[in-house]
Amino acid sequence: MIKEKYQCALEKLKHLDPNVPINLVLSGGAEKGVAHIALLEKLEELNIKINAISACSSGSLVGSMYASGMRPKEILNFFKTTEIFQFSWITIAKPGIFNSSNYARLIEDKIKPTFEELNIPLTVSTTNLNKGTTQYFYEGDLLKPVLASCAIPGLFNPIRIDSMLYSDGGIIDNFPTTPFKDSEYPIIGSYVVYPSEKTNEELNTTLKVLAHTSKLLMLSSEEHKFFNTFATVCFPLGEFSGFSPKEVDAIYETAKKYIEEKLK
């Protein structure tokens, strides 16, 4: 018996009622989160309004910027011109290679100070490292939860919020549909770390196998949620590492082309 595999339902976007707003879920995925921008543009083109956004990691960065009033092209330009891994910010005094606090000044003028000031309600998925649980932030200060949600373990040190340490929401919940469990509106998902099929030659080293299986492991904990959405877009971005700003243009163009081909 083979477990049922979710079939990308991007074509269903054409059947959305412009008079009914959607709930939008944005997964994490480092630089691959740029693909969310292409989807936001298509939703605007289809005149689909967003009731609320639930997001994780790079999805929370895109979501918070969009909900703060930035246009998709402005968000894309941010990713294209911002170097996330700056060697001058390497630290040996914190539990992470890069000091997360330094990134505050990169985004604090791009997002609203608080959740309450956003144009679209937003929920940010983080991981409470002390308790080992998912923590959803949706009110109060916005900057720290977004920084925490983007703090990839090992690369960026956790963020302290009210005496607790918070890190990347993708550790436990990289596709946060839970905030919408009682909502009447349809859920549209955007998943940017969907693993591509591999040939034997593409799995001929230890690192390649580890990288691929880690994506499969993450998918196994998220895929069942796709079936509970009206439609989830599973972007084919397996060729990209997601950790180089040089990939931003190619990721965006790949995502945009994928959407256009599916919605012909």
Side-chain angles (χ1 to χ4, degrees):
M1 180 181 294
I2 298 178
K3 179 182 175 182
E4 181 183 4
K5 188 174 182 180
Y6 181 80
Q7 300 298 317
C8 178
L10 182 56
E11 297 88 347
K12 293 178 69 176
L13 292 184
K14 293 186 293 186
H15 304 299
L16 287 170
D17 183 350
N19 296 313
V20 178
I22 65 162
N23 291 319
L24 183 63
V25 180
L26 305 177
S27 78
E31 301 281 5
K32 293 182 183 182
V34 168
H36 297 315
I37 301 171
L39 179 59
L40 288 170
E41 289 179 324
K42 177 53 67 173
L43 291 173
E44 287 187 354
E45 182 182 320
L46 295 173
N47 293 314
I48 302 300
K49 301 296 186 293
I50 299 173
N51 172 64
I53 299 172
S54 179
C56 176
S57 199
S58 60
S60 70
L61 185 55
V62 172
S64 62
M65 288 180 172
Y66 188 72
S68 292
M70 288 183 68
R71 306 304 305 137
K73 283 293 189 289
E74 293 176 321
I75 302 173
L76 177 61
N77 187 61
F78 170 84
F79 277 89
K80 291 169 64 173
T81 59
T82 303
E83 179 57 66
I84 295 177
F85 305 105
Q86 299 192 25
F87 291 105
S88 61
W89 292 351
I90 290 178
T91 177
I92 59 174
K94 295 179 179 291
I97 297 174
F98 298 96
N99 187 347
S100 298
S101 299
N102 286 325
Y103 292 89
R105 65 173 180 261
L106 293 179
I107 65 174
E108 60 186 353
D109 65 337
K110 305 292 189 302
I111 62 176
K112 300 289 187 181
T114 67
F115 283 90
E116 289 79 4
E117 296 173 73
L118 295 172
N119 300 329
I120 302 171
L122 172 71
T123 298
V124 171
S125 169
T126 70
T127 299
N128 183 317
L129 294 178
N130 301 95
K131 296 182 178 181
T133 59
T134 294
Q135 174 75 44
Y136 301 111
F137 287 91
Y138 53 86
E139 60 185 2
D141 176 70
L142 177 61
L143 180 60
K144 281 192 173 183
V146 171
L147 287 174
S149 187
C150 295
I152 302 171
L155 284 178
F156 304 105
N157 64 276
I159 298 295
R160 182 184 293 272
I161 303 176
D162 296 332
S163 80
M164 293 285 185
L165 294 178
Y166 294 87
S167 196
D168 193 340
I171 299 171
I172 300 177
D173 191 358
N174 196 44
F175 192 71
T177 57
T178 299
F180 298 139
K181 62 184 178 65
D182 297 321
S183 177
E184 62 183 305
Y185 298 116
I187 299 173
I188 300 299
S190 182
Y191 194 75
V192 300
V193 285
Y194 198 86
S196 58
E197 294 187 3
K198 301 290 185 182
T199 64
N200 290 351
E201 289 71 25
E202 292 174 310
L203 297 170
N204 59 3
T205 70
T206 301
L207 288 178
K208 289 179 181 178
V209 169
L210 288 174
H212 186 55
T213 53
S214 67
K215 293 174 184 175
L216 292 174
L217 182 61
M218 179 178 290
L219 178 64
S220 70
S221 65
E222 308 294 353
E223 190 172 24
H224 70 280
K225 303 175 190 176
F226 301 167
F227 291 95
N228 297 323
T229 66
F230 179 83
T232 291
V233 185
C234 303
F235 286 103
L237 304 172
E239 65 184 286
F240 304 106
S241 70
F243 292 100
S244 172
K246 295 179 180 178
E247 295 180 330
V248 169
D249 278 322
I251 291 171
Y252 171 74
E253 292 300 333
T254 298
K256 191 169 183 178
K257 180 179 179 181
Y258 179 70
I259 291 173
E260 294 302 330
E261 289 181 347
K262 288 288 186 179
L263 293 180
K264 284 181 179 178

